[in-house]
Amino acid sequence: MPELPGGFLWGVSTSAYQIEGAVTEDGRGPSVWDTFSAAPGRIVDGTTGAVATDSYHRYADDVALMRDLGVGAYRFSVAWPRIQPDGTGPANAAGLDHYERLVDALLDAGIAPVATLFHWDLPQALQDRGGWLSRETAHRFGEYAALVAGRLGDRVRMWITLNEPFVHMSLGYALGTHAPGEQLLFDAFPVAHHQLLGHGLAVAALRDHSSSPVTLANNYSPARPATDDPADLAAAAAYDALQNRVFTDPLFGLGYPEGAADLSVVREGDLDVIAAPIDALGVNYYNPTGVRGPADGSPLPFEMVPLEGYPTTAFGWPVAPDGLREMLVALHARYGAALPPVYITESGCAYDDVIGPDGSCDDPQRIAYLDAHLDALAAAQADGVDVRGYFVWSLLDNWEWAEGFTKRFGLVHVDFDTQARTPKSSFAWLRERIRDHR
Ligand code: FCB
């Protein structure tokens, strides 16, 4: 039976569309992100992920970097349109071959492969039939999961079904700043339910083909009311339900939080499928969210406001490591014994890192960021939360969705013209940290 390495698991994370490039190779079909990024005005620097960090071809270099870093695990994602170019039917063998080569290279390097099945790059053909607004997509996702696990189920050491279904719903279908660019506001709720149903169907498919642990990765953010005015407190509670509970309560058999969701798309039996036992919970954490009561006539029950009093990253996100501890403790308090072991499946920051005259890349702010978040993780452990691992977002500077190449999250600097990889000082720092904690 494949096993994760014992002890605390150190890892790094990436996702397919952000690093692979090679978007027309080996039979890959188009995804919603190819379509979205090709449309004018969607991506701040007008770029696409057509080349990204060229990791489809350079995966062996990336594995060598990770071996040098000393991580025990690599969280990557499988591009659905490489496996099913039009979203249905038998597997494209060449697509599976690529991930098999990657997985085998990782295992040879002593690194546990952790595979995410959906990191937002839906086959365009499924989008043309409604995407996650359509229940059919959930069923297609279960079939796709079976195809991947049928080939790699004996070697992938942990499965992550979905990445951040809340972010995908809110940015992709409610606000439209991510693919597929829909602006449905609260009418986007079917996307929540169909993703979660797809998750449950994928869990069943994975169990048929693999004995490795299964989880999903949610993005959590403590909601901080702007003031203690009752309208702001109510807004914070509404936001908390939407981001932190809609995608988690049903996993643990609690159904959807009252009043937070339009239940008309929920059919009998769905909640049982969604509540299939999982072996871990993936927590992606970046920042808390400032919230206040909505302006009169707003279609939303809250308004997001900048948080005062925190330093910010180059993305403008507040640096608030205490929010990680707060979130972990809140999850533990809310779900109690039902909460499985937790892995931090993403944590990291963007800064404007540059290569200096001596060829090195010094990123002291990232070191401080990671150090503080690891302290917050340790504090949550001391509070009784069973946190088993920490994955840094990201191994490499990469293509950051609507921000294109303008946000650098990597432990490794990438020159996007030459693809030269230069480990930053945070890379050396993390290597020491991992060595000390093994
Ligand atoms: C997360 C995404 C990941 C990356 C980081 C910065 O929300 O899962 O792909 O964009 O943010």
Side-chain angles (χ1 to χ4, degrees), residues 14-15 18 75 119-120 163-164 167 171 178 219 284 286 315 317 346 348-350 393-394 398-401 409:
T14 63
S15 89
Q18 296 180 271
R75 176 183 170 221
H119 202 124
W120 305 348
N163 178 67
E164 299 187 351
V167 176
L171 300 188
H178 276 191
N219 182 307
N284 294 359
Y286 289 94
F315 218 132
W317 295 350
E346 284 183 29
C349 49
W393 183 275
S394 177
N398 60 44
W399 191 80
E400 177 53 34
W401 308 116
F409 275 91

PDB file of all heavy atoms in Angstrom, residues 14-15 18 75 119-120 163-164 167 171 178 219 284 286 315 317 346 348-350 393-394 398-401 409, ligand 1:
ATOM      1  N   THR A  14       2.238  23.322  -6.929  1.00  0.00           N
ATOM      2  CA  THR A  14       2.090  24.039  -8.210  1.00  0.00           C
ATOM      3  C   THR A  14       0.752  23.611  -8.809  1.00  0.00           C
ATOM      4  O   THR A  14       0.065  22.757  -8.249  1.00  0.00           O
ATOM      5  CB  THR A  14       3.187  23.654  -9.235  1.00  0.00           C
ATOM      6  OG1 THR A  14       3.060  22.259  -9.546  1.00  0.00           O
ATOM      7  CG2 THR A  14       4.587  23.960  -8.736  1.00  0.00           C
ATOM      8  N   SER A  15       0.395  24.193  -9.953  1.00  0.00           N
ATOM      9  CA  SER A  15      -0.760  23.652 -10.684  1.00  0.00           C
ATOM     10  C   SER A  15      -0.463  23.652 -12.176  1.00  0.00           C
ATOM     11  O   SER A  15       0.353  24.444 -12.670  1.00  0.00           O
ATOM     12  CB  SER A  15      -2.023  24.461 -10.405  1.00  0.00           C
ATOM     13  OG  SER A  15      -2.158  25.543 -11.310  1.00  0.00           O
ATOM     14  N   GLN A  18      -0.582  26.742 -14.568  1.00  0.00           N
ATOM     15  CA  GLN A  18       0.339  27.801 -14.172  1.00  0.00           C
ATOM     16  C   GLN A  18       1.798  27.491 -14.507  1.00  0.00           C
ATOM     17  O   GLN A  18       2.631  28.394 -14.500  1.00  0.00           O
ATOM     18  CB  GLN A  18       0.190  28.073 -12.675  1.00  0.00           C
ATOM     19  CG  GLN A  18      -1.194  28.608 -12.330  1.00  0.00           C
ATOM     20  CD  GLN A  18      -1.358  28.875 -10.855  1.00  0.00           C
ATOM     21  OE1 GLN A  18      -1.756  28.006 -10.103  1.00  0.00           O
ATOM     22  NE2 GLN A  18      -1.033  30.079 -10.417  1.00  0.00           N
ATOM     23  N   ARG A  75       3.057  18.602  -4.509  1.00  0.00           N
ATOM     24  CA  ARG A  75       1.652  18.711  -4.910  1.00  0.00           C
ATOM     25  C   ARG A  75       1.591  19.372  -6.279  1.00  0.00           C
ATOM     26  O   ARG A  75       1.933  20.548  -6.412  1.00  0.00           O
ATOM     27  CB  ARG A  75       0.872  19.532  -3.875  1.00  0.00           C
ATOM     28  CG  ARG A  75      -0.554  19.744  -4.295  1.00  0.00           C
ATOM     29  CD  ARG A  75      -1.367  20.601  -3.343  1.00  0.00           C
ATOM     30  NE  ARG A  75      -2.618  20.887  -4.008  1.00  0.00           N
ATOM     31  CZ  ARG A  75      -3.254  22.052  -4.013  1.00  0.00           C
ATOM     32  NH1 ARG A  75      -2.778  23.077  -3.322  1.00  0.00           N
ATOM     33  NH2 ARG A  75      -4.365  22.200  -4.677  1.00  0.00           N
ATOM     34  N   HIS A 119      -7.591  21.718 -10.771  1.00  0.00           N
ATOM     35  CA  HIS A 119      -7.099  23.028 -10.341  1.00  0.00           C
ATOM     36  C   HIS A 119      -7.522  24.043 -11.414  1.00  0.00           C
ATOM     37  O   HIS A 119      -6.695  24.685 -12.044  1.00  0.00           O
ATOM     38  CB  HIS A 119      -5.586  22.986 -10.123  1.00  0.00           C
ATOM     39  CG  HIS A 119      -5.061  24.060  -9.206  1.00  0.00           C
ATOM     40  ND1 HIS A 119      -4.317  23.798  -8.072  1.00  0.00           N
ATOM     41  CD2 HIS A 119      -5.168  25.406  -9.266  1.00  0.00           C
ATOM     42  CE1 HIS A 119      -3.989  24.946  -7.474  1.00  0.00           C
ATOM     43  NE2 HIS A 119      -4.487  25.936  -8.183  1.00  0.00           N
ATOM     44  N   TRP A 120      -8.838  24.056 -11.675  1.00  0.00           N
ATOM     45  CA  TRP A 120      -9.529  25.121 -12.409  1.00  0.00           C
ATOM     46  C   TRP A 120      -9.481  25.042 -13.940  1.00  0.00           C
ATOM     47  O   TRP A 120     -10.109  25.864 -14.602  1.00  0.00           O
ATOM     48  CB  TRP A 120      -9.019  26.507 -11.974  1.00  0.00           C
ATOM     49  CG  TRP A 120      -9.111  26.758 -10.497  1.00  0.00           C
ATOM     50  CD1 TRP A 120      -9.788  26.014  -9.571  1.00  0.00           C
ATOM     51  CD2 TRP A 120      -8.522  27.855  -9.775  1.00  0.00           C
ATOM     52  NE1 TRP A 120      -9.652  26.572  -8.321  1.00  0.00           N
ATOM     53  CE2 TRP A 120      -8.883  27.700  -8.414  1.00  0.00           C
ATOM     54  CE3 TRP A 120      -7.733  28.936 -10.152  1.00  0.00           C
ATOM     55  CZ2 TRP A 120      -8.473  28.597  -7.425  1.00  0.00           C
ATOM     56  CZ3 TRP A 120      -7.328  29.826  -9.174  1.00  0.00           C
ATOM     57  CH2 TRP A 120      -7.695  29.660  -7.821  1.00  0.00           C
ATOM     58  N   ASN A 163      -9.254  21.807  -6.080  1.00  0.00           N
ATOM     59  CA  ASN A 163      -8.553  22.926  -5.461  1.00  0.00           C
ATOM     60  C   ASN A 163      -9.508  24.106  -5.293  1.00  0.00           C
ATOM     61  O   ASN A 163     -10.093  24.589  -6.267  1.00  0.00           O
ATOM     62  CB  ASN A 163      -7.376  23.397  -6.326  1.00  0.00           C
ATOM     63  CG  ASN A 163      -6.680  24.585  -5.688  1.00  0.00           C
ATOM     64  OD1 ASN A 163      -6.066  24.444  -4.634  1.00  0.00           O
ATOM     65  ND2 ASN A 163      -6.804  25.763  -6.287  1.00  0.00           N
ATOM     66  N   GLU A 164      -9.653  24.551  -4.067  1.00  0.00           N
ATOM     67  CA  GLU A 164     -10.362  25.792  -3.745  1.00  0.00           C
ATOM     68  C   GLU A 164     -11.673  25.972  -4.507  1.00  0.00           C
ATOM     69  O   GLU A 164     -11.832  26.922  -5.302  1.00  0.00           O
ATOM     70  CB  GLU A 164      -9.446  26.995  -4.003  1.00  0.00           C
ATOM     71  CG  GLU A 164      -8.189  26.975  -3.155  1.00  0.00           C
ATOM     72  CD  GLU A 164      -7.357  28.248  -3.265  1.00  0.00           C
ATOM     73  OE1 GLU A 164      -7.655  29.098  -4.122  1.00  0.00           O
ATOM     74  OE2 GLU A 164      -6.406  28.402  -2.494  1.00  0.00           O
ATOM     75  N   VAL A 167     -13.021  29.551  -4.313  1.00  0.00           N
ATOM     76  CA  VAL A 167     -12.388  30.578  -5.152  1.00  0.00           C
ATOM     77  C   VAL A 167     -12.821  30.379  -6.604  1.00  0.00           C
ATOM     78  O   VAL A 167     -13.108  31.342  -7.325  1.00  0.00           O
ATOM     79  CB  VAL A 167     -10.849  30.529  -5.006  1.00  0.00           C
ATOM     80  CG1 VAL A 167     -10.187  31.530  -5.941  1.00  0.00           C
ATOM     81  CG2 VAL A 167     -10.451  30.794  -3.554  1.00  0.00           C
ATOM     82  N   LEU A 171     -14.620  33.637  -8.026  1.00  0.00           N
ATOM     83  CA  LEU A 171     -13.933  34.428  -9.056  1.00  0.00           C
ATOM     84  C   LEU A 171     -14.338  34.003 -10.466  1.00  0.00           C
ATOM     85  O   LEU A 171     -14.409  34.834 -11.370  1.00  0.00           O
ATOM     86  CB  LEU A 171     -12.410  34.327  -8.889  1.00  0.00           C
ATOM     87  CG  LEU A 171     -11.853  34.816  -7.552  1.00  0.00           C
ATOM     88  CD1 LEU A 171     -10.333  34.860  -7.583  1.00  0.00           C
ATOM     89  CD2 LEU A 171     -12.396  36.193  -7.168  1.00  0.00           C
ATOM     90  N   HIS A 178     -11.940  35.418 -13.068  1.00  0.00           N
ATOM     91  CA  HIS A 178     -11.222  34.210 -13.499  1.00  0.00           C
ATOM     92  C   HIS A 178     -12.079  33.481 -14.535  1.00  0.00           C
ATOM     93  O   HIS A 178     -13.297  33.734 -14.636  1.00  0.00           O
ATOM     94  CB  HIS A 178     -11.032  33.261 -12.316  1.00  0.00           C
ATOM     95  CG  HIS A 178      -9.835  33.562 -11.460  1.00  0.00           C
ATOM     96  ND1 HIS A 178      -9.386  32.687 -10.490  1.00  0.00           N
ATOM     97  CD2 HIS A 178      -8.983  34.620 -11.426  1.00  0.00           C
ATOM     98  CE1 HIS A 178      -8.317  33.199  -9.897  1.00  0.00           C
ATOM     99  NE2 HIS A 178      -8.044  34.375 -10.439  1.00  0.00           N
ATOM    100  N   ASN A 219      -9.758  26.866   0.403  1.00  0.00           N
ATOM    101  CA  ASN A 219      -9.140  28.125   0.804  1.00  0.00           C
ATOM    102  C   ASN A 219      -9.952  28.690   1.974  1.00  0.00           C
ATOM    103  O   ASN A 219     -11.145  28.911   1.831  1.00  0.00           O
ATOM    104  CB  ASN A 219      -9.155  29.093  -0.390  1.00  0.00           C
ATOM    105  CG  ASN A 219      -8.490  30.416  -0.080  1.00  0.00           C
ATOM    106  OD1 ASN A 219      -8.838  31.074   0.896  1.00  0.00           O
ATOM    107  ND2 ASN A 219      -7.552  30.822  -0.915  1.00  0.00           N
ATOM    108  N   ASN A 284      -5.676  25.674   2.398  1.00  0.00           N
ATOM    109  CA  ASN A 284      -4.877  26.717   1.750  1.00  0.00           C
ATOM    110  C   ASN A 284      -5.145  28.005   2.507  1.00  0.00           C
ATOM    111  O   ASN A 284      -6.308  28.383   2.684  1.00  0.00           O
ATOM    112  CB  ASN A 284      -5.300  26.921   0.290  1.00  0.00           C
ATOM    113  CG  ASN A 284      -5.004  25.708  -0.595  1.00  0.00           C
ATOM    114  OD1 ASN A 284      -4.469  24.702  -0.145  1.00  0.00           O
ATOM    115  ND2 ASN A 284      -5.368  25.814  -1.860  1.00  0.00           N
ATOM    116  N   TYR A 286      -3.966  32.155   2.931  1.00  0.00           N
ATOM    117  CA  TYR A 286      -3.180  33.325   2.537  1.00  0.00           C
ATOM    118  C   TYR A 286      -3.424  34.522   3.444  1.00  0.00           C
ATOM    119  O   TYR A 286      -2.488  35.185   3.852  1.00  0.00           O
ATOM    120  CB  TYR A 286      -3.468  33.698   1.073  1.00  0.00           C
ATOM    121  CG  TYR A 286      -2.874  32.679   0.116  1.00  0.00           C
ATOM    122  CD1 TYR A 286      -3.634  31.616  -0.357  1.00  0.00           C
ATOM    123  CD2 TYR A 286      -1.540  32.756  -0.258  1.00  0.00           C
ATOM    124  CE1 TYR A 286      -3.078  30.659  -1.198  1.00  0.00           C
ATOM    125  CE2 TYR A 286      -0.977  31.800  -1.104  1.00  0.00           C
ATOM    126  CZ  TYR A 286      -1.748  30.758  -1.565  1.00  0.00           C
ATOM    127  OH  TYR A 286      -1.189  29.815  -2.380  1.00  0.00           O
ATOM    128  N   PHE A 315       0.894  41.482  -3.788  1.00  0.00           N
ATOM    129  CA  PHE A 315      -0.471  41.278  -4.276  1.00  0.00           C
ATOM    130  C   PHE A 315      -1.425  42.213  -3.545  1.00  0.00           C
ATOM    131  O   PHE A 315      -2.618  42.276  -3.851  1.00  0.00           O
ATOM    132  CB  PHE A 315      -0.891  39.827  -4.002  1.00  0.00           C
ATOM    133  CG  PHE A 315      -1.722  39.194  -5.080  1.00  0.00           C
ATOM    134  CD1 PHE A 315      -1.418  37.922  -5.562  1.00  0.00           C
ATOM    135  CD2 PHE A 315      -2.820  39.849  -5.622  1.00  0.00           C
ATOM    136  CE1 PHE A 315      -2.181  37.322  -6.547  1.00  0.00           C
ATOM    137  CE2 PHE A 315      -3.588  39.252  -6.615  1.00  0.00           C
ATOM    138  CZ  PHE A 315      -3.265  37.989  -7.072  1.00  0.00           C
ATOM    139  N   TRP A 317      -2.109  41.625  -0.432  1.00  0.00           N
ATOM    140  CA  TRP A 317      -2.757  40.782   0.577  1.00  0.00           C
ATOM    141  C   TRP A 317      -2.125  41.043   1.938  1.00  0.00           C
ATOM    142  O   TRP A 317      -0.889  41.084   2.059  1.00  0.00           O
ATOM    143  CB  TRP A 317      -2.607  39.298   0.232  1.00  0.00           C
ATOM    144  CG  TRP A 317      -3.322  38.891  -1.024  1.00  0.00           C
ATOM    145  CD1 TRP A 317      -4.207  39.630  -1.753  1.00  0.00           C
ATOM    146  CD2 TRP A 317      -3.204  37.634  -1.706  1.00  0.00           C
ATOM    147  NE1 TRP A 317      -4.656  38.914  -2.832  1.00  0.00           N
ATOM    148  CE2 TRP A 317      -4.058  37.687  -2.833  1.00  0.00           C
ATOM    149  CE3 TRP A 317      -2.471  36.468  -1.484  1.00  0.00           C
ATOM    150  CZ2 TRP A 317      -4.197  36.627  -3.723  1.00  0.00           C
ATOM    151  CZ3 TRP A 317      -2.600  35.407  -2.357  1.00  0.00           C
ATOM    152  CH2 TRP A 317      -3.455  35.479  -3.476  1.00  0.00           C
ATOM    153  N   GLU A 346      -1.412  24.871   0.762  1.00  0.00           N
ATOM    154  CA  GLU A 346      -0.811  26.060   0.136  1.00  0.00           C
ATOM    155  C   GLU A 346      -0.595  27.114   1.206  1.00  0.00           C
ATOM    156  O   GLU A 346      -1.490  27.377   2.014  1.00  0.00           O
ATOM    157  CB  GLU A 346      -1.716  26.690  -0.932  1.00  0.00           C
ATOM    158  CG  GLU A 346      -1.773  25.952  -2.242  1.00  0.00           C
ATOM    159  CD  GLU A 346      -2.623  26.662  -3.297  1.00  0.00           C
ATOM    160  OE1 GLU A 346      -2.725  27.906  -3.275  1.00  0.00           O
ATOM    161  OE2 GLU A 346      -3.200  25.943  -4.134  1.00  0.00           O
ATOM    162  N   GLY A 348       1.929  30.908   1.118  1.00  0.00           N
ATOM    163  CA  GLY A 348       3.041  31.598   0.458  1.00  0.00           C
ATOM    164  C   GLY A 348       2.681  33.034   0.153  1.00  0.00           C
ATOM    165  O   GLY A 348       1.614  33.528   0.535  1.00  0.00           O
ATOM    166  N   CYS A 349       3.576  33.712  -0.564  1.00  0.00           N
ATOM    167  CA  CYS A 349       3.421  35.160  -0.748  1.00  0.00           C
ATOM    168  C   CYS A 349       4.107  35.602  -2.040  1.00  0.00           C
ATOM    169  O   CYS A 349       5.066  34.982  -2.494  1.00  0.00           O
ATOM    170  CB  CYS A 349       4.061  35.889   0.431  1.00  0.00           C
ATOM    171  SG  CYS A 349       5.731  35.309   0.784  1.00  0.00           S
ATOM    172  N   ALA A 350       3.594  36.678  -2.613  1.00  0.00           N
ATOM    173  CA  ALA A 350       4.208  37.258  -3.812  1.00  0.00           C
ATOM    174  C   ALA A 350       4.996  38.500  -3.424  1.00  0.00           C
ATOM    175  O   ALA A 350       4.479  39.360  -2.693  1.00  0.00           O
ATOM    176  CB  ALA A 350       3.116  37.646  -4.811  1.00  0.00           C
ATOM    177  N   TRP A 393       3.337  27.405  -1.406  1.00  0.00           N
ATOM    178  CA  TRP A 393       2.994  27.885  -2.741  1.00  0.00           C
ATOM    179  C   TRP A 393       3.972  29.010  -3.033  1.00  0.00           C
ATOM    180  O   TRP A 393       3.884  30.041  -2.388  1.00  0.00           O
ATOM    181  CB  TRP A 393       1.554  28.411  -2.819  1.00  0.00           C
ATOM    182  CG  TRP A 393       1.275  28.810  -4.248  1.00  0.00           C
ATOM    183  CD1 TRP A 393       1.574  30.010  -4.840  1.00  0.00           C
ATOM    184  CD2 TRP A 393       0.734  27.972  -5.262  1.00  0.00           C
ATOM    185  NE1 TRP A 393       1.249  29.974  -6.158  1.00  0.00           N
ATOM    186  CE2 TRP A 393       0.735  28.729  -6.451  1.00  0.00           C
ATOM    187  CE3 TRP A 393       0.267  26.645  -5.292  1.00  0.00           C
ATOM    188  CZ2 TRP A 393       0.272  28.209  -7.660  1.00  0.00           C
ATOM    189  CZ3 TRP A 393      -0.193  26.139  -6.496  1.00  0.00           C
ATOM    190  CH2 TRP A 393      -0.187  26.926  -7.657  1.00  0.00           C
ATOM    191  N   SER A 394       4.942  28.811  -3.909  1.00  0.00           N
ATOM    192  CA  SER A 394       5.003  27.751  -4.869  1.00  0.00           C
ATOM    193  C   SER A 394       6.472  27.372  -5.063  1.00  0.00           C
ATOM    194  O   SER A 394       7.358  28.108  -4.661  1.00  0.00           O
ATOM    195  CB  SER A 394       4.406  28.255  -6.192  1.00  0.00           C
ATOM    196  OG  SER A 394       4.494  27.270  -7.199  1.00  0.00           O
ATOM    197  N   ASN A 398       5.481  31.585 -11.304  1.00  0.00           N
ATOM    198  CA  ASN A 398       4.703  30.992 -12.400  1.00  0.00           C
ATOM    199  C   ASN A 398       3.641  31.954 -12.901  1.00  0.00           C
ATOM    200  O   ASN A 398       3.665  33.145 -12.570  1.00  0.00           O
ATOM    201  CB  ASN A 398       4.128  29.630 -11.970  1.00  0.00           C
ATOM    202  CG  ASN A 398       3.216  29.727 -10.760  1.00  0.00           C
ATOM    203  OD1 ASN A 398       2.380  30.626 -10.673  1.00  0.00           O
ATOM    204  ND2 ASN A 398       3.377  28.818  -9.815  1.00  0.00           N
ATOM    205  N   TRP A 399       2.739  31.448 -13.699  1.00  0.00           N
ATOM    206  CA  TRP A 399       1.692  32.269 -14.332  1.00  0.00           C
ATOM    207  C   TRP A 399       0.516  32.368 -13.372  1.00  0.00           C
ATOM    208  O   TRP A 399      -0.186  31.382 -13.146  1.00  0.00           O
ATOM    209  CB  TRP A 399       1.280  31.633 -15.657  1.00  0.00           C
ATOM    210  CG  TRP A 399       0.420  32.535 -16.495  1.00  0.00           C
ATOM    211  CD1 TRP A 399       0.832  33.565 -17.278  1.00  0.00           C
ATOM    212  CD2 TRP A 399      -1.006  32.476 -16.631  1.00  0.00           C
ATOM    213  NE1 TRP A 399      -0.248  34.167 -17.885  1.00  0.00           N
ATOM    214  CE2 TRP A 399      -1.386  33.515 -17.507  1.00  0.00           C
ATOM    215  CE3 TRP A 399      -1.999  31.654 -16.090  1.00  0.00           C
ATOM    216  CZ2 TRP A 399      -2.716  33.745 -17.870  1.00  0.00           C
ATOM    217  CZ3 TRP A 399      -3.320  31.886 -16.434  1.00  0.00           C
ATOM    218  CH2 TRP A 399      -3.664  32.931 -17.323  1.00  0.00           C
ATOM    219  N   GLU A 400       0.358  33.558 -12.796  1.00  0.00           N
ATOM    220  CA  GLU A 400      -0.597  33.727 -11.688  1.00  0.00           C
ATOM    221  C   GLU A 400      -1.967  34.198 -12.200  1.00  0.00           C
ATOM    222  O   GLU A 400      -2.404  35.313 -11.953  1.00  0.00           O
ATOM    223  CB  GLU A 400       0.015  34.673 -10.640  1.00  0.00           C
ATOM    224  CG  GLU A 400      -0.871  35.014  -9.454  1.00  0.00           C
ATOM    225  CD  GLU A 400      -1.465  33.828  -8.704  1.00  0.00           C
ATOM    226  OE1 GLU A 400      -0.790  32.784  -8.610  1.00  0.00           O
ATOM    227  OE2 GLU A 400      -2.604  33.950  -8.239  1.00  0.00           O
ATOM    228  N   TRP A 401      -2.631  33.331 -12.964  1.00  0.00           N
ATOM    229  CA  TRP A 401      -4.022  33.558 -13.374  1.00  0.00           C
ATOM    230  C   TRP A 401      -4.216  34.964 -13.965  1.00  0.00           C
ATOM    231  O   TRP A 401      -3.447  35.361 -14.820  1.00  0.00           O
ATOM    232  CB  TRP A 401      -4.974  33.281 -12.196  1.00  0.00           C
ATOM    233  CG  TRP A 401      -4.743  31.939 -11.554  1.00  0.00           C
ATOM    234  CD1 TRP A 401      -4.320  31.704 -10.268  1.00  0.00           C
ATOM    235  CD2 TRP A 401      -4.892  30.630 -12.150  1.00  0.00           C
ATOM    236  NE1 TRP A 401      -4.215  30.352 -10.046  1.00  0.00           N
ATOM    237  CE2 TRP A 401      -4.562  29.674 -11.170  1.00  0.00           C
ATOM    238  CE3 TRP A 401      -5.291  30.166 -13.423  1.00  0.00           C
ATOM    239  CZ2 TRP A 401      -4.604  28.300 -11.404  1.00  0.00           C
ATOM    240  CZ3 TRP A 401      -5.331  28.794 -13.665  1.00  0.00           C
ATOM    241  CH2 TRP A 401      -4.995  27.890 -12.659  1.00  0.00           C
ATOM    242  N   PHE A 409       5.534  34.089  -6.784  1.00  0.00           N
ATOM    243  CA  PHE A 409       5.282  33.356  -5.532  1.00  0.00           C
ATOM    244  C   PHE A 409       6.363  32.304  -5.256  1.00  0.00           C
ATOM    245  O   PHE A 409       6.259  31.553  -4.292  1.00  0.00           O
ATOM    246  CB  PHE A 409       3.941  32.626  -5.617  1.00  0.00           C
ATOM    247  CG  PHE A 409       2.728  33.442  -5.244  1.00  0.00           C
ATOM    248  CD1 PHE A 409       2.016  34.151  -6.205  1.00  0.00           C
ATOM    249  CD2 PHE A 409       2.278  33.494  -3.927  1.00  0.00           C
ATOM    250  CE1 PHE A 409       0.877  34.878  -5.871  1.00  0.00           C
ATOM    251  CE2 PHE A 409       1.146  34.227  -3.578  1.00  0.00           C
ATOM    252  CZ  PHE A 409       0.449  34.917  -4.549  1.00  0.00           C
TER     253      PHE A 409
HETATM  254  C1  FCB B   1      -4.461  30.054  -4.705  1.00  0.00           C
HETATM  255  C2  FCB B   1      -4.468  29.154  -5.920  1.00  0.00           C
HETATM  256  C3  FCB B   1      -3.121  29.015  -6.574  1.00  0.00           C
HETATM  257  C4  FCB B   1      -2.389  30.327  -6.611  1.00  0.00           C
HETATM  258  C5  FCB B   1      -2.324  30.926  -5.228  1.00  0.00           C
HETATM  259  C6  FCB B   1      -1.536  32.215  -5.152  1.00  0.00           C
HETATM  260  O1  FCB B   1      -5.733  30.599  -4.512  1.00  0.00           O
HETATM  261  O2  FCB B   1      -4.918  27.861  -5.553  1.00  0.00           O
HETATM  262  O3  FCB B   1      -3.300  28.469  -7.859  1.00  0.00           O
HETATM  263  O4  FCB B   1      -3.007  31.174  -7.501  1.00  0.00           O
HETATM  264  O5  FCB B   1      -3.624  31.167  -4.779  1.00  0.00           O
END
